């Protein structure tokens, strides 16, 4: 669906403006928390300096430039806290989800977070951070204040960011890479795996809450935002960065929560669905790092998927598609073109309101090979990365899969 023009665009923009003005005086509990949280990502020192080095884990910062000029931050944890420096295991690359950054893999304790657990069990861990996150705010030409800095969707994250980051790790290690993604990190992965220049660098892929189709999303907050055409209104009004820590972002949350259609007393559940094992007592700590910014165009692309039921490139409208793709419609990402030889593992939950089990089943059906599946009926979208029980419920099975596909031996205490 193209961004509306003319009178329709003006009407949408006016609607949003009135909604935002009506919310200035009132604020939900969730938006108040967002407004008062101080993001640690802006404090300097990088992800390594803020989360890993203080706990005694080796960690180095790296910068990679994409073909379209974005400067991305990578972190490298070569071994665990008690590991041996010259005994580096197989490389595993972790890719975060929407409105998250590389910190998501370390935001719980060292005993509960996948990033720490992998390092402590002999893996050579690399952390990706896509453009626009607080860890990756650089560009060779633009600044975050420029419209063109935010002119991208998950399509560019797959075709440019992943290519650049994986190529860097592949060059450094001279070895194929184990890929682990969550949520948007799985959208990026599945799209990227249709590209031979990327799959040649991947030895296996593990996808947490895999998404390629979104037509069965049931999250009330998301459906309300789609229904009110939030994405199109923001683009029409010229808001190209989507930052829920900004005054505008907080007012957007209020405008959705205050109209009576969405119960935002538990904002996380209204966005992702119920989560069984999320530690709510740590919410203030989580808000020191998340949510990260993204682009409005990225949100628009995701909402296109929900409205159309497709897994395709960004829809620029008829004429825009002709100029960009040479076709009236955006070309799909063909899941059947992912090599049958690529081993895949998927973990998904019965409470997930974003990666719905029906959509996961459709994804699996379109793949040429059958992935290994871990289904947990009582798990939600965030549980797979933040559950206090994920170590036993998810990561045992995940690491068994990774070990069997690793190039070389692993010395594990898990």
């Amino acid at each position: 669906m193209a961004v509306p023009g003319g009178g329709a665009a003006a009407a949408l923009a006016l609607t949003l403006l009135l909604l935002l003005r009506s919310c200035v005086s009132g604020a939900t509990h969730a938006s108040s928390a967002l407004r008062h949280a101080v993001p640690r990502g802006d404090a300097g020192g990088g992800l390594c300096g803020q989360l890993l080095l203080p706990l005694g884990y080796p960690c180095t910062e790296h910068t990679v430039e994409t073909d379209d000029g974005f400067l991305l931050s990578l972190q490298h944890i070569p071994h665990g806290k008690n590991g041996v420096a010259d005994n580096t295991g197989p490389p595993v690359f972790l890719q975060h989800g929407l409105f998250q950054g590389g910190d998501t893999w370390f935001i719980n304790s060292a005993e509960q977070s996948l990033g720490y657990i992998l390092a402590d069990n002999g893996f050579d861990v690399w952390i990706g951070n896509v453009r626009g996150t607080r860890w990756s705010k650089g560009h060779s030409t633009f600044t975050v204040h420029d419209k063109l800095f935010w002119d991208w969707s998950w399509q560019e994250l797959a075709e440019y960011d992943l290519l650049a980051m994986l190529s860097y790790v592949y060059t450094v290690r001279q070895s194929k890479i184990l890929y682990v993604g969550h949520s948007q990190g799985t959208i990026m992965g599945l799209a990227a795996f249709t590209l031979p220049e990327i799959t040649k660098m991947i030895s296996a892929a593990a996808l947490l809450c895999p998404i390629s189709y979104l037509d069965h999303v049931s999250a009330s907050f998301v459906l309300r935002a789609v229904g009110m055409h939030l994405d199109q209104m923001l683009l029409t009004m010229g808001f190209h960065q989507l930052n829920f820590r900004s005054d505008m972002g907080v007012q957007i949350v209020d405008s959705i929560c205050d109209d009576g259609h969405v119960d935002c007393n538990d904002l996380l559940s209204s966005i992702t669905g119920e989560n069984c094992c999320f530690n709510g007592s740590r919410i203030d700590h989580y808000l020191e790092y998340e949510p990260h910014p993204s682009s409005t165009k990225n949100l628009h692309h995701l909402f296109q998927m929900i409205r159309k039921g497709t897994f395709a490139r960004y829809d620029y409208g008829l004429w825009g598609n002709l100029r960009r793709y040479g076709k009236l419609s955006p070309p799909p990402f063909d899941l059947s073109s992912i090599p049958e030889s690529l081993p895949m593992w998927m973990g998904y939950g019965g409470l997930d309101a974003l990666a719905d089990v029906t959509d996961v089943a459709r994804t699996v059906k379109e793949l040429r090979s059958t992935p290994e599946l871990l289904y947990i009926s009582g798990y939600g979208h965030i549980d797979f990365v933040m559950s206090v029980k994920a170590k036993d419920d998810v990561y045992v099975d995940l690491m068994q899969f990774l070990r069997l596909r690793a190039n070389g031996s692993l010395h594990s205490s898990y």
Side-chain angles (χ1 to χ4, degrees):
M1 182 181 294
V3 178
L12 285 171
L14 179 60
T15 300
L16 181 60
L17 184 61
L18 292 173
L19 282 170
L20 295 180
R21 284 182 174 175
S22 70
C23 297
V24 171
S25 59
T28 65
H29 173 74
S31 66
S32 295
L34 286 170
R35 181 177 277 113
H36 293 106
V38 178
R40 297 262 320 259
D42 294 335
L47 194 158
C48 286
Q50 292 189 31
L51 284 173
L52 287 110
L53 294 177
L55 294 183
Y57 283 82
C59 186
T60 54
E61 299 277 352
H62 302 255
T63 301
V64 177
E65 183 172 354
T66 66
D67 287 343
D68 55 349
F70 284 87
L71 305 176
L72 310 179
S73 170
L74 279 170
Q75 289 77 38
H76 180 210
I77 305 93
H79 55 78
K81 184 159 52 174
N82 300 314
V84 180
D86 59 355
N87 188 28
T88 302
V92 57
F93 180 87
L94 306 185
Q95 183 54 59
H96 62 79
L98 179 66
F99 299 125
Q100 294 182 311
D103 45 84
T104 196
W105 305 107
F106 306 97
I107 207 163
N108 277 338
S109 71
E111 294 74 32
Q112 296 172 337
S113 300
L114 182 58
Y116 294 120
I117 291 171
L118 288 171
D120 284 334
N121 283 272
F123 290 91
D124 179 31
V125 180
W126 295 80
I127 306 298
N129 298 274
V130 301
R131 62 185 69 185
T133 60
R134 277 185 294 281
W135 310 115
S136 296
K137 298 187 296 184
H139 191 278
S140 59
T141 304
F142 309 122
T143 74
V144 293
H145 304 293
D146 295 319
K147 171 184 174 180
L148 290 176
F149 183 93
W150 300 99
D151 185 19
W152 49 266
S153 76
W154 60 258
Q155 178 179 332
E156 283 74 26
L157 303 186
E159 296 176 343
Y160 289 93
D161 289 22
L162 268 190
L163 178 61
M165 293 186 291
L166 291 172
S167 295
Y168 182 85
V169 177
Y170 186 75
T171 300
V172 170
R173 282 302 317 271
Q174 292 294 299
S175 172
K176 285 194 172 185
I177 303 160
L178 299 162
Y179 182 91
V180 178
H182 172 248
S183 191
Q184 181 181 258
T186 71
I187 301 178
M188 294 164 56
L190 288 167
F193 299 157
T194 67
L195 308 174
E197 61 269 31
I198 289 181
T199 52
K200 72 178 184 181
M201 298 184 285
I202 304 298
S203 58
L207 307 180
L208 299 162
C209 309
I211 295 174
S212 62
Y213 295 102
L214 284 168
D215 31 333
H216 288 87
V217 163
S218 58
S220 58
F221 186 96
V222 175
L223 291 178
R224 180 56 182 156
V226 171
M228 63 188 289
H229 299 278
L230 175 66
D231 52 330
Q232 295 161 306
M233 288 191 286
L234 290 172
L235 288 172
T236 300
M237 294 178 69
F239 295 111
H240 300 284
Q241 176 185 177
L242 191 57
N243 183 359
F244 287 112
R245 292 184 180 276
S246 67
D247 289 341
M248 173 61 71
V250 171
Q251 290 177 31
I252 288 171
V253 172
D254 286 339
S255 71
I256 296 174
C257 291
D258 285 354
D259 67 357
H261 290 81
V262 180
D263 179 8
C264 291
N265 289 323
D266 183 354
L267 183 60
L268 182 63
S269 295
S270 71
I271 295 174
T272 69
E274 295 293 328
N275 294 281
C276 75
C277 312
F278 175 81
N279 187 353
S281 67
R282 288 177 61 85
I283 190 68
D284 289 340
H285 174 68
Y286 297 148
L287 286 174
E288 292 180 6
Y289 294 95
E290 299 176 354
H292 287 255
S294 188
S295 74
T296 306
K297 184 177 179 179
N298 190 31
L299 186 75
H300 186 44
H301 195 175
L302 292 166
F303 283 10
Q304 287 177 354
M305 296 168 67
I306 295 173
R307 294 179 181 119
K308 294 168 175 286
T310 58
F311 182 45
R313 290 163 173 80
Y314 186 86
D315 191 344
Y316 289 93
L318 295 179
W319 295 114
N321 291 335
L322 275 174
R323 288 193 300 269
R324 181 68 61 110
Y325 309 120
K327 300 180 179 180
L328 293 177
S329 300
F333 285 101
D334 181 7
L335 292 174
S336 67
S337 68
I338 297 176
E340 188 175 4
S341 58
L342 179 66
M344 298 183 72
W345 176 100
M346 294 181 177
Y348 63 110
L351 299 180
D352 196 332
L354 296 177
D356 183 86
V357 293
T358 303
D359 293 329
V360 173
R362 181 181 177 186
T363 298
V364 171
K365 183 178 180 181
E366 292 188 10
L367 293 169
R368 291 168 60 189
S369 62
T370 301
E372 296 184 26
L373 300 176
L374 174 67
Y375 173 70
I376 305 177
S377 60
Y379 258 46
H381 196 75
I382 297 299
D383 286 322
F384 283 87
V385 288
M386 290 188 180
S387 165
V388 296
K389 298 167 54 183
K391 177 179 178 180
D392 296 320
D393 293 345
V394 181
Y395 303 154
V396 169
D397 199 77
L398 169 60
M399 289 205 297
Q400 182 180 9
F401 168 81
L402 295 178
R403 282 198 192 97
L404 291 175
R405 277 87 188 163
N407 297 322
S409 61
L410 276 170
H411 300 277
S412 171
S413 59
Y414 194 82

